[in-house]
Amino acid sequence: MSPKSSRATDPGRTVDALSVSRRTLLVAGGASLAGVAAVRLVGALGGEGGRAPGTARPPQSPSGPPLLNGMVANVRDFGAAGDGVTDDSGAVRRALVEANAARGTLFFPAGTYAYGLGGPFEPAEGVTVAGEPGRSILRFQPPSTGEFASFSRPLASRVTFDGLVLERAADFPCVFLAVPAITQLTLSRMSFVGNQDRFTGSYCHGVQLGVENGGTTSGLRWTDSVATTMTYALFQTNDSTAVTEDVEVSRCRFAGNADTDLEFNSPKGATRRVLVEDCEFRDHGPQGFAVGLATCTDVTIRHNTMAQLSLEAIHVEDYSENVIITGNRIMAAGLAGYSHVQLIGGARRITVTGNAFDASANTNAISVVYALAGGSEPTPGGRPVAPPSGVEVTDNDFVLAEKVSAVTFEGVTGGAIRDNRLSGPRVTAGEPSTAIATTDSTGIAVGGNTADGEAF
């Protein structure tokens, strides 16, 4: 098995920077998603506290009344037709001027609005851009040149986008929201539709962080939303020197995206204090992860459902530290190889606890949790490659297909593999002792693990 490092170097390209096999990846903008499965919700809920391993609170489709704050500038009052045919760009910009002046709400009633660039879409501080959830659709039109475009670059803090469907309307490279150094950006009840399965010639990303080198973005809240048929739903490029902090992504659904759903990637900057909770990730194209971390600190990934992924669900690298992965339900991940959770590139102080891993659909020889150096070249951040350290894998449930191992440590220093419960064909074949390996690792406490209820 070879580890995979897929970090974004520009909005439309990924580079396999650490893979032993140096595999060539697809260009993100050109990845095809033929046969994308319909979005499905899985998992059940326990109580508010003390959830059983692998339970999640399923995200809901955006719904409810519109969020209207202060003075309301209704785009229909400024001439928008909302019929999906008329170019409503001018009317939208005129309404935005009024909303900005009053620090109020730019409101899109139910309808379909054709919007193209003819000027910046830059909400002012405190402005809400709102629609009727699931019923107010903005179809983002290509610029006349067909070149790259971003729908909005908020230049002020305390901006809210709520209740809108943002949909790419043609095959052109774009980012919906390019986020500079601001604070308190809220995305709630949003739907991002990139149509990457239809428009395969170029990329479409949802949220780009770190667009202002050296700046700090803090307080991003992304809740109760959907991102489907995007390239990346969220990402930051390798070259960005920006800092991102205090991010929460909760009760969101990510389905049928071509590359990584949430790519917290900051090898030359920093990302800290991130929470990903109660989300669903599923049905990827042939590359990318549900959640990717590079040079991130203090991250919690909990109570999510992740399923039907070609590569690992969670990928941690480039000296990311203090990462807690807990209470997630991960099934049918790593279908093309590698793992369900992969830790490489000097990752340290990583806790994997209380998760439910179902690898019964895996036909290839993978390890569900795999910790190793990840190659011989420097990391994308230019740091020396090294195995992870301080890795704790405890109190997890593993259902293992015949060729699948539960946990593999290669060269790991310090940690534990304890109190995990193994079942499935690998166990019934009488090979549970080979399902946990600590090759060339030191200071690893192993004990209390069971196979079909029996200690081994």
Side-chain angles (χ1 to χ4, degrees):
M1 290 182 289
S2 299
K4 176 181 182 294
S5 172
S6 178
R7 306 266 70 93
T9 55
D10 63 45
R13 187 163 61 99
T14 59
V15 172
D16 188 9
L18 291 181
S19 173
V20 170
S21 62
R22 301 292 296 166
R23 293 177 302 132
T24 301
L25 300 182
L26 293 173
V27 174
S32 176
L33 291 180
V36 171
V39 175
R40 300 182 298 277
L41 292 179
V42 296
L45 292 186
E48 184 60 29
R51 300 187 201 178
T55 60
R57 179 178 293 109
Q60 305 299 315
S61 297
S63 62
L67 178 64
L68 305 178
N69 296 318
M71 187 279 291
V72 176
N74 187 323
V75 296
R76 296 289 182 104
D77 294 338
F78 291 82
D83 59 9
V85 178
T86 304
D87 183 356
D88 290 324
S89 305
V92 169
R93 285 190 288 274
R94 290 191 297 272
L96 180 60
V97 170
E98 294 295 317
N100 281 350
R103 301 296 193 266
T105 297
L106 175 66
F107 177 51
F108 294 82
T112 300
Y113 301 87
Y115 180 86
L117 291 178
F121 190 93
E122 298 173 351
E125 183 171 357
V127 165
T128 297
V129 182
E132 299 183 39
R135 303 177 61 211
S136 299
I137 302 168
L138 272 69
R139 286 190 176 153
F140 189 28
Q141 308 293 322
S144 58
T145 60
E147 297 177 350
F148 168 79
S150 59
F151 170 73
S152 180
R153 178 172 171 155
L155 298 181
S157 299
R158 297 191 299 110
V159 169
T160 296
F161 289 85
D162 178 82
L164 295 171
V165 178
L166 288 180
E167 180 181 7
R168 180 172 61 152
D171 200 340
F172 68 104
C174 70
V175 170
F176 286 153
L177 297 178
V179 183
I182 60 174
T183 62
Q184 298 181 47
L185 174 64
T186 298
L187 310 176
S188 56
R189 302 187 299 175
M190 296 290 291
S191 296
F192 289 169
V193 182
N195 287 323
Q196 186 72 60
D197 52 337
R198 295 169 52 204
F199 306 134
T200 60
S202 54
Y203 58 84
C204 180
H205 306 313
V207 177
Q208 182 179 355
L209 300 173
V211 299
E212 187 175 332
N213 276 332
T216 298
T217 299
S218 63
L220 170 63
R221 299 291 181 269
W222 192 357
T223 64
D224 303 296
S225 297
V226 174
T228 183
T229 59
M230 307 297 298
T231 310
Y232 289 96
L234 176 148
F235 81 111
Q236 181 167 314
T237 68
N238 271 354
D239 291 333
S240 174
T241 61
V243 173
T244 298
E245 58 187 16
D246 299 316
V247 176
E248 176 186 335
V249 183
S250 60
R251 301 183 306 279
C252 292
R253 185 166 67 245
F254 302 90
N257 298 310
D259 213 296
T260 299
D261 294 319
L262 301 176
E263 183 74 273
F264 294 105
N265 176 53
S266 50
K268 295 181 181 177
T271 298
R272 48 185 176 250
R273 298 187 298 278
V274 174
L275 172 64
V276 179
E277 181 177 42
D278 292 319
C279 294
E280 181 186 24
F281 305 83
R282 64 179 309 121
D283 301 321
H284 271 182
Q287 64 189 63
F289 324 117
V291 181
L293 307 177
T295 322
C296 298
T297 304
D298 299 327
V299 178
T300 298
I301 303 169
R302 68 186 183 197
H303 304 312
N304 303 286
T305 297
M306 305 174 180
Q308 296 298 321
L309 309 176
S310 294
L311 300 179
E312 57 264 35
I314 300 172
H315 179 96
V316 184
E317 69 165 271
D318 212 343
Y319 291 82
S320 292
E321 59 183 323
N322 298 335
V323 177
I324 298 173
I325 301 166
T326 184
N328 302 286
R329 184 183 182 193
I330 302 178
M331 60 197 119
L335 293 176
Y338 304 109
S339 52
H340 288 203
V341 174
Q342 187 174 96
L343 315 173
I344 67 171
R348 51 198 175 185
R349 293 189 291 279
I350 312 297
T351 299
V352 182
T353 186
N355 302 282
F357 297 105
D358 186 346
S360 59
N362 291 85
T363 58
N364 47 351
I366 70 165
S367 186
V368 174
V369 179
Y370 193 15
L372 72 167
S376 58
E377 298 183 11
T379 71
R383 302 167 184 88
V385 70
S389 60
V391 180
E392 305 267 345
V393 181
T394 63
D395 193 31
N396 300 284
D397 290 295
F398 293 89
V399 180
L400 305 175
E402 187 173 356
K403 297 180 181 179
V404 176
S405 297
V407 184
T408 300
F409 285 2
E410 294 182 7
V412 175
T413 302
I417 307 172
R418 298 185 60 89
D419 302 322
N420 299 288
R421 296 165 293 277
L422 282 57
S423 63
R426 179 66 179 264
V427 172
T428 57
E431 300 181 6
S433 62
T434 63
I436 293 177
T438 57
T439 306
D440 297 327
S441 299
T442 59
I444 309 299
V446 180
N449 303 293
T450 62
D452 283 340
E454 298 292 330
F456 67 93

